[in-house]
Amino acid sequence: MRGLLVATCVGGAIQTHAMSLGAAAHVTWHEFETRGKAFAMMQAAGMDYVRSDFQYWRCRPKKPGEAWSFGMYDQVVDEAGKRDITVLPILMYQSNWGREEFGRHEGEWTTFVRETARHFKGRIPVYEVCNEPNLHSFWNNPNPVNYLAALKAAYRAIKEEDPPARVMISGFAGVPLDFIGRIYALGGKDFFEIMNVHPYTWPNPPKGMMDSMMKGLKDLMAKYGDGDKPIWITEMGWPTHKAKLPTQNLFLAGLKAARPEQKTWRVGYVDTSGDAARGKVYADAMAEILPAGSTAKSYTVEEVNALLDADKLDAVVYPFDESFPLDTIKPVARFVKRGGVLVDFGGCPMWAPNRKGVIVEKTPDGKSIRGLVREQLRIDVIWPCPANGLAANARTFVTEAGMKAGLKSDPNGFSCFRFFDRTKLKDGDEFVPLTTVKDKNGHEVAGACVYRFNSDLKGALVLAGCGQDRGGTTEEEQARYLQQAIDISKSFGVERFFLYEFQAPEKDPYYSEDHFGIVHKDFSPKAAYKALKRRK
C-alpha cells in the first residue's frame, strides 16, 4: 500500500500526496516472539508502519538507582527497520493512573516520556500519546481536562529531547466530536501535530457512517483553524468471530420476561447495513432459537415500518450496535404504545441515530435526538463514572427474575459497560432487571433489563449494555469493508491508515477482540491480507 496517491483540493488546485498503510500489532507484548514473521508479511503487503504499546511499567527502573530499560523496544524498532517498517509507539501510562486525577502522576509520566524520547532520538519519528482516553476501559475518568494535561506534558518532554519528532494526539475511540472539541476549546491545538481517530463502524460497512464521521471531524478542525493538520487513522477493522447472534441467551430471556404468556413470535430485524445477506444471518439465527412456530425475518427500514403499522409483528429488533434507524422511531413508538416489544442490544440504546448510513445527532432546532427518543421511551441510561463507582465492562449477575425467564446463571457474569434504572417510568410500569451490579452506594442497577409498560404505553423494551458481543463479519466482508475504508480515508486526505489488527490471537472463537486480525494465529492469510497484497 506504500505510496497510494491521495488527491486533495487546496486553494482551488488539485494536489496529491501519498497515503501509506500500517498495522496495529502487539509486537511489543504477546506477539513479541513472532515479530519476525509479522514484519516479513507486513513488508510483503506494502505496509511501512507498525503501531504497538510502549508501556511505562515495562521500562521503568525496578529499584532506586537503576537505569531505564528499553531492551525489548530496541529489538522491535531495529528489526522492523530492517524491513523498512517504522514503529509508531503508543505511550501508555500505568493502568492505575487513569483511576485518579492525572496531576498526581505528572512527574512520573513526564519522566517516562522524556526518557523514551531521549533513548530513541532520531529512530522514532512520531509518538502517539495514549490510546482511546475517551473510553473508561483505558482511562477510568475520561475527560478532556485530564487527557490534555497528559498531552501537554508529553509534548513538552518530546520536543525538549527530540525536536524533529512529531507528536500525535491519542487515537480516540470513534470520532467523539464533543471530546475533541473540548480539547480544542481548552487550547489543545498547540500540543499535537497530527490528528488521530478510530472511526469504527462494525458490524456495519464503512460507507456512509465513516464518511459522516470524517466530515464532522474535518469541519471541527476547520472551525478551530486546524484544517491543514494531517489526519491519521491508527485503528480500524472488522472481526471475523463466529457469533451468529449477539447475547442470544439474554435475547431469549428478555422476550420471555417481556411477554411471559407469549407462545410464538413474529420477529422483525431492522437491517441498516445495506447488506441483505448480513441481515439474513441475524434473522436466521433468531429463527433457530425462537419457540417452535415462530418466525424471524430481516427487513429494510421501509418494510419494517409498513409491517409495524399493519400489526404484523410482535417484536422488532434493532441492529446489534449503538446505532438505531432514525426513520423507524415514529412507527416503533406507536408499536410500543399499542403493546409491541422493542429489543435494543449493543451497549448504549438509542445512541447514534442512523439515517441511510449517516449519523444525525440533532434536530433542526439543535435538540439531541437520542435524548428526545430516550425520554419518549422512558429509557434511563447510567454511564460508569467515579461518582457512581461503576466500572466500564463491569460484571453483572443474573437476577431471580432473569433466572425465572430462563437466563442461565454464569458464575463469571455478563460484562456490561452501560446500565439501566427505573427513574423515568410512570405509575403502573414495571422494571424487570435481568442482570445487575451494585454501585458504590449499594444501589442495584441493571446491565440487562426489561421495561414492561402498563400505563399510557402498553408494550415493552428489552435492553442490554453488552456492546462487546456484536456479531462478526465474514472474512470476505472484512476484506471488502477494509477496502472501502481505505478508499474513504483517501478521499478525506488521510495521511496514514492502520488496520486493526495484523495477527488474530484466536483464543475464543466467539470473542470479537480475538478475531480482528487479517492473518490467522498461524499467519495463514485471510481474504483481507490477500486483497491488500494484490493492491500493493
Side-chain angles (χ1 to χ4, degrees):
M1 193 61 58
R2 195 171 288 134
L4 287 175
L5 288 181
V6 182
T8 56
C9 184
V10 180
I14 298 296
Q15 299 184 355
T16 60
H17 62 274
M19 184 182 87
S20 72
L21 184 70
H26 298 291
V27 291
T28 56
W29 190 14
H30 55 78
E31 295 167 7
F32 178 72
E33 297 300 329
T34 57
R35 64 195 180 281
K37 177 68 171 176
F39 292 154
M41 291 189 71
M42 289 177 193
Q43 184 184 40
M47 300 177 193
D48 64 359
Y49 256 82
V50 62
R51 173 181 183 258
S52 200
D53 297 340
F54 275 38
Q55 296 174 312
Y56 168 88
W57 65 271
R58 285 191 184 274
C59 48
R60 65 177 174 81
K62 304 302 185 287
K63 297 178 182 178
E66 284 188 353
W68 286 74
S69 175
F70 295 95
M72 172 186 284
Y73 300 145
D74 277 324
Q75 291 182 66
V76 171
V77 171
D78 291 345
E79 291 178 29
K82 292 175 182 177
R83 293 284 185 176
D84 296 324
I85 295 171
T86 301
V87 173
L88 171 64
I90 314 167
L91 298 176
M92 294 297 290
Y93 46 80
Q94 196 81 321
S95 61
N96 62 340
W97 292 359
R99 307 183 198 287
E100 305 167 8
E101 290 302 313
F102 174 74
R104 295 185 57 186
H105 304 283
E106 186 167 351
E108 297 163 287
W109 166 251
T110 302
T111 300
F112 163 54
V113 176
R114 187 184 305 283
E115 292 289 340
T116 304
R118 179 184 300 154
H119 182 84
F120 288 100
K121 183 175 182 178
R123 298 164 64 199
I124 289 180
V126 180
Y127 290 90
E128 180 175 356
V129 182
C130 305
N131 178 65
E132 299 186 346
N134 57 316
L135 289 188
H136 288 271
S137 51
F138 289 102
W139 200 304
N140 197 54
N141 181 20
N143 66 72
V145 174
N146 264 353
Y147 175 67
L148 182 55
L151 179 64
K152 284 182 177 180
Y155 181 88
R156 290 166 176 154
I158 291 168
K159 290 302 179 180
E160 288 172 8
E161 297 297 333
D162 189 4
R166 292 195 293 172
V167 176
M168 180 163 58
I169 202 166
S170 167
F172 297 102
V175 184
L177 297 180
D178 290 346
F179 197 100
I180 298 171
R182 181 65 177 149
I183 289 175
Y184 272 124
L186 290 167
K189 171 185 173 181
D190 296 332
F191 298 96
F192 68 97
E193 293 151 304
I194 303 171
M195 176 55 74
N196 183 12
V197 290
H198 300 164
Y200 285 102
T201 65
W202 75 276
N204 296 320
K207 189 175 181 180
M209 293 180 71
M210 184 181 179
D211 302 76
S212 176
M213 286 189 279
M214 295 305 294
K215 182 181 184 304
L217 177 65
K218 296 280 283 188
D219 290 347
L220 179 66
M221 293 172 70
K223 174 183 174 181
Y224 284 95
D226 217 19
D228 292 333
K229 190 168 283 184
I231 299 172
W232 290 19
I233 292 173
T234 58
E235 279 188 30
M236 193 165 186
W238 284 262
T240 59
H241 57 304
K242 292 183 179 179
K244 286 185 177 180
L245 183 66
T247 52
Q248 68 177 34
N249 291 330
L250 280 172
F251 175 78
L252 284 176
L255 291 181
K256 181 68 174 178
R259 289 288 175 267
E261 73 288 350
Q262 191 95 12
K263 302 299 182 185
T264 60
W265 291 87
R266 297 169 300 171
V267 175
Y269 174 73
V270 190
D271 175 45
T272 59
S273 71
D275 187 337
R278 177 160 195 76
K280 188 175 185 301
V281 168
Y282 282 137
D284 289 350
M286 293 178 209
E288 285 180 19
I289 62 175
L290 285 168
S294 300
T295 59
K297 295 182 180 179
S298 175
Y299 301 103
T300 65
V301 167
E302 294 76 17
E303 289 170 339
V304 84
N305 285 347
L307 291 168
L308 290 173
D309 285 338
D311 282 328
K312 292 185 177 180
L313 293 176
D314 302 307
V316 61
V317 181
Y318 273 173
F320 293 103
D321 56 33
E322 293 191 322
S323 72
F324 67 94
L326 179 57
D327 291 332
T328 66
I329 285 299
K330 289 183 179 179
V332 162
R334 294 192 293 267
F335 173 67
V336 172
K337 186 172 184 177
R338 294 193 304 269
V341 176
L342 170 64
V343 179
D344 192 358
F345 287 7
C348 192
M350 310 298 172
W351 175 250
N354 181 350
R355 174 175 283 147
K356 296 182 179 179
V358 176
I359 303 303
V360 184
E361 295 192 351
K362 295 186 182 296
T363 63
D365 59 355
K367 294 180 180 178
S368 166
I369 291 174
R370 65 175 67 102
L372 292 172
V373 172
R374 287 185 195 156
E375 194 69 29
Q376 183 179 18
L377 293 174
R378 299 173 196 166
I379 300 172
D380 183 15
V381 178
I382 300 170
W383 294 64
C385 67
N388 55 38
L390 293 169
N393 297 320
R395 291 311 225 178
T396 65
F397 296 90
V398 179
T399 63
E400 184 176 345
M403 288 188 280
K404 185 177 179 180
L407 186 57
K408 294 180 180 179
S409 180
D410 185 339
N412 294 317
F414 290 83
S415 178
C416 295
F417 67 97
R418 298 292 179 263
F419 309 93
F420 310 97
D421 211 341
R422 64 188 311 151
T423 58
K424 297 184 184 298
L425 298 184
K426 294 186 177 182
D427 289 343
D429 295 339
E430 295 179 76
F431 178 64
V432 184
L434 302 176
T435 73
T436 60
V437 64
K438 290 184 179 180
D439 65 17
K440 71 177 184 180
N441 297 315
H443 177 66
E444 277 196 331
V445 295
C449 70
V450 173
Y451 289 161
R452 199 158 55 196
F453 301 116
N454 192 28
S455 52
D456 55 322
L457 303 183
K458 302 299 180 184
L461 306 182
V462 182
L463 309 174
C466 307
Q468 75 279 14
D469 291 326
R470 288 171 283 183
T473 52
T474 65
E475 292 189 18
E476 290 71 26
E477 286 174 328
Q478 182 194 51
R480 188 164 69 251
Y481 295 168
L482 274 172
Q483 295 293 324
Q484 289 178 15
I486 290 168
D487 289 340
I488 292 168
S489 299
K490 289 169 59 183
S491 74
F492 281 95
V494 171
E495 188 173 274
R496 294 188 186 277
F497 179 98
F498 290 70
L499 55 95
Y500 185 85
E501 61 184 331
F502 190 72
Q503 183 186 12
E506 296 180 344
K507 295 178 182 178
D508 182 340
Y510 300 100
Y511 180 40
S512 60
E513 191 66 23
D514 282 354
H515 296 273
F516 274 94
I518 63 167
V519 301
H520 291 285
K521 183 179 180 180
D522 64 0
F523 286 102
S524 58
K526 295 183 183 178
Y529 178 84
K530 295 175 182 177
L532 293 177
K533 195 172 179 180
R534 287 195 300 270
R535 187 170 175 166
K536 179 182 173 182

